[in-house]
Amino acid sequence: IENKIAQGINVSEIAILGRRNTDLLEIARALQRKNIPFVMDADQDIFSDIHIQKLLLLFSSIAAVGDDVLLAKAMHIDFLRIMPLDTYKLLQFSKQEKKSLFDTLIDHTGIILETEEKVLSFAHLLSVWKIAAENKPLDDFFIQVIHDSGFRE
């Protein structure tokens, strides 16, 4: 954390997540000793937060590439900026052509989409993220998805 602050990263941009509040107590004491400001929001149920639910849905769709139901739900995540009508068109085309939704994202010749670039980008990112999920440390993969997805915008 000290290194990040020294690199000019704002303290408010740094987060530490823990499974249990007790896991964070020692970290909080260390931050106090170093005079690093922090806020410990231990009473909040992080999984009830709508933003965390969106991330969990996105990570679930990455883990289960090929699951059309998860993929269709993920396509409605607002920070991906895919228009709902485009998702509907792709679902209909997928059903009509009897091919997976993922394959339809990649090849949907003949369909006019308002957010064509976002759809193609999302299809590409799903492949990139799936490879990263299988080959990178979890923290690196997590940061990559947060950065690439537009979640922070």
Side-chain angles (χ1 to χ4, degrees), residues 65-93:
V65 168
D67 183 326
D68 284 356
V69 173
L70 277 175
L71 181 55
K73 288 180 181 179
M75 290 173 67
H76 289 285
I77 297 172
D78 57 357
F79 59 79
L80 295 174
R81 301 191 194 309
I82 297 172
M83 295 301 293
L85 183 58
D86 288 351
T87 299
Y88 173 77
K89 288 178 181 180
L90 291 164
L91 283 166
Q92 289 302 106
F93 187 79

PDB file of all heavy atoms in Angstrom, residues 65-93:
ATOM      1  N   VAL A  65     -18.478 -19.932 -19.784  1.00  0.00           N
ATOM      2  CA  VAL A  65     -18.622 -19.556 -21.194  1.00  0.00           C
ATOM      3  C   VAL A  65     -19.340 -20.705 -21.896  1.00  0.00           C
ATOM      4  O   VAL A  65     -18.976 -21.866 -21.734  1.00  0.00           O
ATOM      5  CB  VAL A  65     -17.254 -19.281 -21.851  1.00  0.00           C
ATOM      6  CG1 VAL A  65     -17.380 -19.193 -23.358  1.00  0.00           C
ATOM      7  CG2 VAL A  65     -16.652 -18.001 -21.310  1.00  0.00           C
ATOM      8  N   GLY A  66     -20.379 -20.362 -22.623  1.00  0.00           N
ATOM      9  CA  GLY A  66     -21.188 -21.385 -23.274  1.00  0.00           C
ATOM     10  C   GLY A  66     -22.561 -21.517 -22.648  1.00  0.00           C
ATOM     11  O   GLY A  66     -23.460 -22.110 -23.233  1.00  0.00           O
ATOM     12  N   ASP A  67     -22.738 -20.958 -21.465  1.00  0.00           N
ATOM     13  CA  ASP A  67     -24.045 -20.957 -20.808  1.00  0.00           C
ATOM     14  C   ASP A  67     -24.819 -19.751 -21.323  1.00  0.00           C
ATOM     15  O   ASP A  67     -24.581 -18.615 -20.907  1.00  0.00           O
ATOM     16  CB  ASP A  67     -23.873 -20.899 -19.285  1.00  0.00           C
ATOM     17  CG  ASP A  67     -25.186 -20.966 -18.531  1.00  0.00           C
ATOM     18  OD1 ASP A  67     -26.198 -20.435 -19.019  1.00  0.00           O
ATOM     19  OD2 ASP A  67     -25.178 -21.541 -17.419  1.00  0.00           O
ATOM     20  N   ASP A  68     -25.744 -20.001 -22.233  1.00  0.00           N
ATOM     21  CA  ASP A  68     -26.476 -18.905 -22.884  1.00  0.00           C
ATOM     22  C   ASP A  68     -27.304 -18.075 -21.913  1.00  0.00           C
ATOM     23  O   ASP A  68     -27.451 -16.875 -22.097  1.00  0.00           O
ATOM     24  CB  ASP A  68     -27.384 -19.454 -23.988  1.00  0.00           C
ATOM     25  CG  ASP A  68     -26.626 -19.846 -25.239  1.00  0.00           C
ATOM     26  OD1 ASP A  68     -25.391 -19.625 -25.288  1.00  0.00           O
ATOM     27  OD2 ASP A  68     -27.256 -20.369 -26.172  1.00  0.00           O
ATOM     28  N   VAL A  69     -27.848 -18.705 -20.875  1.00  0.00           N
ATOM     29  CA  VAL A  69     -28.673 -17.966 -19.910  1.00  0.00           C
ATOM     30  C   VAL A  69     -27.822 -16.948 -19.152  1.00  0.00           C
ATOM     31  O   VAL A  69     -28.179 -15.771 -19.047  1.00  0.00           O
ATOM     32  CB  VAL A  69     -29.388 -18.935 -18.935  1.00  0.00           C
ATOM     33  CG1 VAL A  69     -30.108 -18.163 -17.834  1.00  0.00           C
ATOM     34  CG2 VAL A  69     -30.357 -19.827 -19.686  1.00  0.00           C
ATOM     35  N   LEU A  70     -26.673 -17.390 -18.646  1.00  0.00           N
ATOM     36  CA  LEU A  70     -25.769 -16.462 -17.938  1.00  0.00           C
ATOM     37  C   LEU A  70     -25.262 -15.374 -18.874  1.00  0.00           C
ATOM     38  O   LEU A  70     -25.197 -14.205 -18.496  1.00  0.00           O
ATOM     39  CB  LEU A  70     -24.584 -17.211 -17.337  1.00  0.00           C
ATOM     40  CG  LEU A  70     -24.798 -17.874 -15.994  1.00  0.00           C
ATOM     41  CD1 LEU A  70     -23.566 -18.690 -15.597  1.00  0.00           C
ATOM     42  CD2 LEU A  70     -25.118 -16.855 -14.922  1.00  0.00           C
ATOM     43  N   LEU A  71     -24.923 -15.759 -20.079  1.00  0.00           N
ATOM     44  CA  LEU A  71     -24.408 -14.791 -21.042  1.00  0.00           C
ATOM     45  C   LEU A  71     -25.460 -13.732 -21.368  1.00  0.00           C
ATOM     46  O   LEU A  71     -25.155 -12.536 -21.393  1.00  0.00           O
ATOM     47  CB  LEU A  71     -23.945 -15.503 -22.313  1.00  0.00           C
ATOM     48  CG  LEU A  71     -23.365 -14.632 -23.409  1.00  0.00           C
ATOM     49  CD1 LEU A  71     -22.207 -13.772 -22.905  1.00  0.00           C
ATOM     50  CD2 LEU A  71     -22.914 -15.502 -24.578  1.00  0.00           C
ATOM     51  N   ALA A  72     -26.688 -14.154 -21.578  1.00  0.00           N
ATOM     52  CA  ALA A  72     -27.763 -13.198 -21.883  1.00  0.00           C
ATOM     53  C   ALA A  72     -27.980 -12.247 -20.719  1.00  0.00           C
ATOM     54  O   ALA A  72     -28.160 -11.038 -20.915  1.00  0.00           O
ATOM     55  CB  ALA A  72     -29.049 -13.949 -22.205  1.00  0.00           C
ATOM     56  N   LYS A  73     -27.949 -12.759 -19.498  1.00  0.00           N
ATOM     57  CA  LYS A  73     -28.097 -11.893 -18.327  1.00  0.00           C
ATOM     58  C   LYS A  73     -26.933 -10.909 -18.244  1.00  0.00           C
ATOM     59  O   LYS A  73     -27.118  -9.730 -17.968  1.00  0.00           O
ATOM     60  CB  LYS A  73     -28.179 -12.717 -17.048  1.00  0.00           C
ATOM     61  CG  LYS A  73     -29.483 -13.456 -16.884  1.00  0.00           C
ATOM     62  CD  LYS A  73     -29.478 -14.257 -15.587  1.00  0.00           C
ATOM     63  CE  LYS A  73     -30.765 -15.022 -15.406  1.00  0.00           C
ATOM     64  NZ  LYS A  73     -30.763 -15.813 -14.168  1.00  0.00           N
ATOM     65  N   ALA A  74     -25.725 -11.404 -18.476  1.00  0.00           N
ATOM     66  CA  ALA A  74     -24.537 -10.547 -18.393  1.00  0.00           C
ATOM     67  C   ALA A  74     -24.577  -9.438 -19.435  1.00  0.00           C
ATOM     68  O   ALA A  74     -24.113  -8.328 -19.174  1.00  0.00           O
ATOM     69  CB  ALA A  74     -23.267 -11.382 -18.554  1.00  0.00           C
ATOM     70  N   MET A  75     -25.149  -9.717 -20.572  1.00  0.00           N
ATOM     71  CA  MET A  75     -25.212  -8.706 -21.631  1.00  0.00           C
ATOM     72  C   MET A  75     -26.069  -7.504 -21.234  1.00  0.00           C
ATOM     73  O   MET A  75     -25.959  -6.449 -21.835  1.00  0.00           O
ATOM     74  CB  MET A  75     -25.729  -9.326 -22.930  1.00  0.00           C
ATOM     75  CG  MET A  75     -24.731 -10.275 -23.574  1.00  0.00           C
ATOM     76  SD  MET A  75     -25.407 -11.154 -24.994  1.00  0.00           S
ATOM     77  CE  MET A  75     -25.623  -9.802 -26.148  1.00  0.00           C
ATOM     78  N   HIS A  76     -26.883  -7.655 -20.210  1.00  0.00           N
ATOM     79  CA  HIS A  76     -27.715  -6.550 -19.722  1.00  0.00           C
ATOM     80  C   HIS A  76     -27.008  -5.701 -18.662  1.00  0.00           C
ATOM     81  O   HIS A  76     -27.581  -4.719 -18.185  1.00  0.00           O
ATOM     82  CB  HIS A  76     -29.032  -7.084 -19.158  1.00  0.00           C
ATOM     83  CG  HIS A  76     -29.956  -7.590 -20.221  1.00  0.00           C
ATOM     84  ND1 HIS A  76     -30.670  -6.757 -21.042  1.00  0.00           N
ATOM     85  CD2 HIS A  76     -30.260  -8.846 -20.602  1.00  0.00           C
ATOM     86  CE1 HIS A  76     -31.382  -7.482 -21.887  1.00  0.00           C
ATOM     87  NE2 HIS A  76     -31.156  -8.748 -21.644  1.00  0.00           N
ATOM     88  N   ILE A  77     -25.788  -6.057 -18.293  1.00  0.00           N
ATOM     89  CA  ILE A  77     -25.052  -5.266 -17.300  1.00  0.00           C
ATOM     90  C   ILE A  77     -24.770  -3.887 -17.908  1.00  0.00           C
ATOM     91  O   ILE A  77     -24.189  -3.778 -18.987  1.00  0.00           O
ATOM     92  CB  ILE A  77     -23.743  -5.966 -16.889  1.00  0.00           C
ATOM     93  CG1 ILE A  77     -24.056  -7.304 -16.206  1.00  0.00           C
ATOM     94  CG2 ILE A  77     -22.909  -5.069 -15.984  1.00  0.00           C
ATOM     95  CD1 ILE A  77     -22.832  -8.163 -15.932  1.00  0.00           C
ATOM     96  N   ASP A  78     -25.169  -2.858 -17.201  1.00  0.00           N
ATOM     97  CA  ASP A  78     -25.130  -1.501 -17.761  1.00  0.00           C
ATOM     98  C   ASP A  78     -23.741  -1.030 -18.171  1.00  0.00           C
ATOM     99  O   ASP A  78     -23.591  -0.363 -19.188  1.00  0.00           O
ATOM    100  CB  ASP A  78     -25.788  -0.496 -16.820  1.00  0.00           C
ATOM    101  CG  ASP A  78     -25.182  -0.457 -15.433  1.00  0.00           C
ATOM    102  OD1 ASP A  78     -24.263  -1.247 -15.124  1.00  0.00           O
ATOM    103  OD2 ASP A  78     -25.648   0.375 -14.634  1.00  0.00           O
ATOM    104  N   PHE A  79     -22.702  -1.371 -17.422  1.00  0.00           N
ATOM    105  CA  PHE A  79     -21.382  -0.844 -17.771  1.00  0.00           C
ATOM    106  C   PHE A  79     -20.789  -1.483 -19.028  1.00  0.00           C
ATOM    107  O   PHE A  79     -19.808  -0.989 -19.566  1.00  0.00           O
ATOM    108  CB  PHE A  79     -20.400  -0.887 -16.589  1.00  0.00           C
ATOM    109  CG  PHE A  79     -20.137  -2.245 -16.001  1.00  0.00           C
ATOM    110  CD1 PHE A  79     -19.267  -3.141 -16.596  1.00  0.00           C
ATOM    111  CD2 PHE A  79     -20.748  -2.612 -14.814  1.00  0.00           C
ATOM    112  CE1 PHE A  79     -19.015  -4.376 -16.038  1.00  0.00           C
ATOM    113  CE2 PHE A  79     -20.497  -3.841 -14.233  1.00  0.00           C
ATOM    114  CZ  PHE A  79     -19.633  -4.732 -14.854  1.00  0.00           C
ATOM    115  N   LEU A  80     -21.408  -2.550 -19.536  1.00  0.00           N
ATOM    116  CA  LEU A  80     -20.969  -3.131 -20.807  1.00  0.00           C
ATOM    117  C   LEU A  80     -21.514  -2.333 -21.990  1.00  0.00           C
ATOM    118  O   LEU A  80     -21.009  -2.435 -23.102  1.00  0.00           O
ATOM    119  CB  LEU A  80     -21.410  -4.589 -20.912  1.00  0.00           C
ATOM    120  CG  LEU A  80     -20.772  -5.535 -19.895  1.00  0.00           C
ATOM    121  CD1 LEU A  80     -21.391  -6.920 -20.004  1.00  0.00           C
ATOM    122  CD2 LEU A  80     -19.264  -5.589 -20.047  1.00  0.00           C
ATOM    123  N   ARG A  81     -22.571  -1.556 -21.736  1.00  0.00           N
ATOM    124  CA  ARG A  81     -23.153  -0.639 -22.714  1.00  0.00           C
ATOM    125  C   ARG A  81     -23.690  -1.326 -23.976  1.00  0.00           C
ATOM    126  O   ARG A  81     -23.573  -0.796 -25.092  1.00  0.00           O
ATOM    127  CB  ARG A  81     -22.175   0.463 -23.082  1.00  0.00           C
ATOM    128  CG  ARG A  81     -21.718   1.307 -21.900  1.00  0.00           C
ATOM    129  CD  ARG A  81     -20.977   2.530 -22.356  1.00  0.00           C
ATOM    130  NE  ARG A  81     -20.215   3.283 -21.404  1.00  0.00           N
ATOM    131  CZ  ARG A  81     -20.590   3.743 -20.231  1.00  0.00           C
ATOM    132  NH1 ARG A  81     -21.769   3.490 -19.783  1.00  0.00           N
ATOM    133  NH2 ARG A  81     -19.782   4.459 -19.468  1.00  0.00           N
ATOM    134  N   ILE A  82     -24.265  -2.511 -23.799  1.00  0.00           N
ATOM    135  CA  ILE A  82     -24.932  -3.211 -24.899  1.00  0.00           C
ATOM    136  C   ILE A  82     -26.425  -2.903 -24.776  1.00  0.00           C
ATOM    137  O   ILE A  82     -27.017  -3.108 -23.718  1.00  0.00           O
ATOM    138  CB  ILE A  82     -24.678  -4.731 -24.833  1.00  0.00           C
ATOM    139  CG1 ILE A  82     -23.180  -5.019 -25.002  1.00  0.00           C
ATOM    140  CG2 ILE A  82     -25.507  -5.458 -25.890  1.00  0.00           C
ATOM    141  CD1 ILE A  82     -22.786  -6.459 -24.764  1.00  0.00           C
ATOM    142  N   MET A  83     -27.010  -2.421 -25.845  1.00  0.00           N
ATOM    143  CA  MET A  83     -28.428  -2.067 -25.829  1.00  0.00           C
ATOM    144  C   MET A  83     -29.288  -3.324 -25.662  1.00  0.00           C
ATOM    145  O   MET A  83     -29.022  -4.350 -26.303  1.00  0.00           O
ATOM    146  CB  MET A  83     -28.814  -1.336 -27.110  1.00  0.00           C
ATOM    147  CG  MET A  83     -28.145   0.022 -27.282  1.00  0.00           C
ATOM    148  SD  MET A  83     -28.499   1.171 -25.941  1.00  0.00           S
ATOM    149  CE  MET A  83     -30.238   1.447 -26.184  1.00  0.00           C
ATOM    150  N   PRO A  84     -30.315  -3.250 -24.818  1.00  0.00           N
ATOM    151  CA  PRO A  84     -31.190  -4.413 -24.608  1.00  0.00           C
ATOM    152  C   PRO A  84     -31.823  -4.942 -25.898  1.00  0.00           C
ATOM    153  O   PRO A  84     -31.962  -6.155 -26.068  1.00  0.00           O
ATOM    154  CB  PRO A  84     -32.264  -3.881 -23.654  1.00  0.00           C
ATOM    155  CG  PRO A  84     -31.604  -2.754 -22.935  1.00  0.00           C
ATOM    156  CD  PRO A  84     -30.663  -2.136 -23.931  1.00  0.00           C
ATOM    157  N   LEU A  85     -32.187  -4.045 -26.815  1.00  0.00           N
ATOM    158  CA  LEU A  85     -32.762  -4.500 -28.081  1.00  0.00           C
ATOM    159  C   LEU A  85     -31.752  -5.321 -28.884  1.00  0.00           C
ATOM    160  O   LEU A  85     -32.118  -6.311 -29.531  1.00  0.00           O
ATOM    161  CB  LEU A  85     -33.267  -3.311 -28.907  1.00  0.00           C
ATOM    162  CG  LEU A  85     -33.962  -3.667 -30.222  1.00  0.00           C
ATOM    163  CD1 LEU A  85     -35.165  -4.579 -29.986  1.00  0.00           C
ATOM    164  CD2 LEU A  85     -34.391  -2.396 -30.954  1.00  0.00           C
ATOM    165  N   ASP A  86     -30.484  -4.948 -28.805  1.00  0.00           N
ATOM    166  CA  ASP A  86     -29.441  -5.727 -29.481  1.00  0.00           C
ATOM    167  C   ASP A  86     -29.334  -7.125 -28.869  1.00  0.00           C
ATOM    168  O   ASP A  86     -29.185  -8.113 -29.587  1.00  0.00           O
ATOM    169  CB  ASP A  86     -28.093  -5.011 -29.403  1.00  0.00           C
ATOM    170  CG  ASP A  86     -28.022  -3.784 -30.295  1.00  0.00           C
ATOM    171  OD1 ASP A  86     -28.947  -3.578 -31.112  1.00  0.00           O
ATOM    172  OD2 ASP A  86     -27.042  -3.027 -30.164  1.00  0.00           O
ATOM    173  N   THR A  87     -29.419  -7.198 -27.555  1.00  0.00           N
ATOM    174  CA  THR A  87     -29.381  -8.503 -26.882  1.00  0.00           C
ATOM    175  C   THR A  87     -30.558  -9.350 -27.343  1.00  0.00           C
ATOM    176  O   THR A  87     -30.402 -10.537 -27.661  1.00  0.00           O
ATOM    177  CB  THR A  87     -29.408  -8.319 -25.352  1.00  0.00           C
ATOM    178  OG1 THR A  87     -28.259  -7.567 -24.963  1.00  0.00           O
ATOM    179  CG2 THR A  87     -29.399  -9.653 -24.636  1.00  0.00           C
ATOM    180  N   TYR A  88     -31.739  -8.753 -27.396  1.00  0.00           N
ATOM    181  CA  TYR A  88     -32.931  -9.469 -27.855  1.00  0.00           C
ATOM    182  C   TYR A  88     -32.744  -9.982 -29.288  1.00  0.00           C
ATOM    183  O   TYR A  88     -33.040 -11.139 -29.597  1.00  0.00           O
ATOM    184  CB  TYR A  88     -34.162  -8.565 -27.763  1.00  0.00           C
ATOM    185  CG  TYR A  88     -35.392  -9.185 -28.375  1.00  0.00           C
ATOM    186  CD1 TYR A  88     -36.097 -10.179 -27.702  1.00  0.00           C
ATOM    187  CD2 TYR A  88     -35.825  -8.795 -29.641  1.00  0.00           C
ATOM    188  CE1 TYR A  88     -37.222 -10.766 -28.274  1.00  0.00           C
ATOM    189  CE2 TYR A  88     -36.947  -9.370 -30.216  1.00  0.00           C
ATOM    190  CZ  TYR A  88     -37.636 -10.358 -29.533  1.00  0.00           C
ATOM    191  OH  TYR A  88     -38.733 -10.941 -30.106  1.00  0.00           O
ATOM    192  N   LYS A  89     -32.253  -9.123 -30.175  1.00  0.00           N
ATOM    193  CA  LYS A  89     -32.036  -9.518 -31.571  1.00  0.00           C
ATOM    194  C   LYS A  89     -31.062 -10.697 -31.655  1.00  0.00           C
ATOM    195  O   LYS A  89     -31.277 -11.645 -32.433  1.00  0.00           O
ATOM    196  CB  LYS A  89     -31.481  -8.349 -32.386  1.00  0.00           C
ATOM    197  CG  LYS A  89     -32.474  -7.255 -32.672  1.00  0.00           C
ATOM    198  CD  LYS A  89     -31.779  -6.119 -33.440  1.00  0.00           C
ATOM    199  CE  LYS A  89     -32.680  -4.966 -33.755  1.00  0.00           C
ATOM    200  NZ  LYS A  89     -31.970  -3.891 -34.490  1.00  0.00           N
ATOM    201  N   LEU A  90     -29.996 -10.635 -30.873  1.00  0.00           N
ATOM    202  CA  LEU A  90     -28.999 -11.703 -30.889  1.00  0.00           C
ATOM    203  C   LEU A  90     -29.564 -13.006 -30.326  1.00  0.00           C
ATOM    204  O   LEU A  90     -29.270 -14.094 -30.839  1.00  0.00           O
ATOM    205  CB  LEU A  90     -27.750 -11.263 -30.121  1.00  0.00           C
ATOM    206  CG  LEU A  90     -26.954 -10.156 -30.808  1.00  0.00           C
ATOM    207  CD1 LEU A  90     -25.984  -9.501 -29.836  1.00  0.00           C
ATOM    208  CD2 LEU A  90     -26.214 -10.703 -32.024  1.00  0.00           C
ATOM    209  N   LEU A  91     -30.384 -12.902 -29.288  1.00  0.00           N
ATOM    210  CA  LEU A  91     -31.022 -14.100 -28.729  1.00  0.00           C
ATOM    211  C   LEU A  91     -31.956 -14.746 -29.752  1.00  0.00           C
ATOM    212  O   LEU A  91     -31.959 -15.977 -29.923  1.00  0.00           O
ATOM    213  CB  LEU A  91     -31.799 -13.745 -27.462  1.00  0.00           C
ATOM    214  CG  LEU A  91     -30.976 -13.542 -26.205  1.00  0.00           C
ATOM    215  CD1 LEU A  91     -31.794 -12.864 -25.117  1.00  0.00           C
ATOM    216  CD2 LEU A  91     -30.428 -14.872 -25.719  1.00  0.00           C
ATOM    217  N   GLN A  92     -32.757 -13.919 -30.424  1.00  0.00           N
ATOM    218  CA  GLN A  92     -33.677 -14.431 -31.434  1.00  0.00           C
ATOM    219  C   GLN A  92     -32.913 -15.089 -32.586  1.00  0.00           C
ATOM    220  O   GLN A  92     -33.278 -16.160 -33.054  1.00  0.00           O
ATOM    221  CB  GLN A  92     -34.582 -13.312 -31.961  1.00  0.00           C
ATOM    222  CG  GLN A  92     -35.606 -12.835 -30.959  1.00  0.00           C
ATOM    223  CD  GLN A  92     -36.512 -13.954 -30.494  1.00  0.00           C
ATOM    224  OE1 GLN A  92     -36.387 -14.441 -29.383  1.00  0.00           O
ATOM    225  NE2 GLN A  92     -37.425 -14.378 -31.331  1.00  0.00           N
ATOM    226  N   PHE A  93     -31.857 -14.425 -33.047  1.00  0.00           N
ATOM    227  CA  PHE A  93     -31.045 -14.959 -34.143  1.00  0.00           C
ATOM    228  C   PHE A  93     -30.393 -16.278 -33.732  1.00  0.00           C
ATOM    229  O   PHE A  93     -30.359 -17.229 -34.516  1.00  0.00           O
ATOM    230  CB  PHE A  93     -29.988 -13.930 -34.549  1.00  0.00           C
ATOM    231  CG  PHE A  93     -29.208 -14.301 -35.774  1.00  0.00           C
ATOM    232  CD1 PHE A  93     -29.747 -14.115 -37.038  1.00  0.00           C
ATOM    233  CD2 PHE A  93     -27.933 -14.828 -35.665  1.00  0.00           C
ATOM    234  CE1 PHE A  93     -29.026 -14.449 -38.182  1.00  0.00           C
ATOM    235  CE2 PHE A  93     -27.205 -15.170 -36.800  1.00  0.00           C
ATOM    236  CZ  PHE A  93     -27.748 -14.981 -38.054  1.00  0.00           C
TER     237      PHE A  93
END
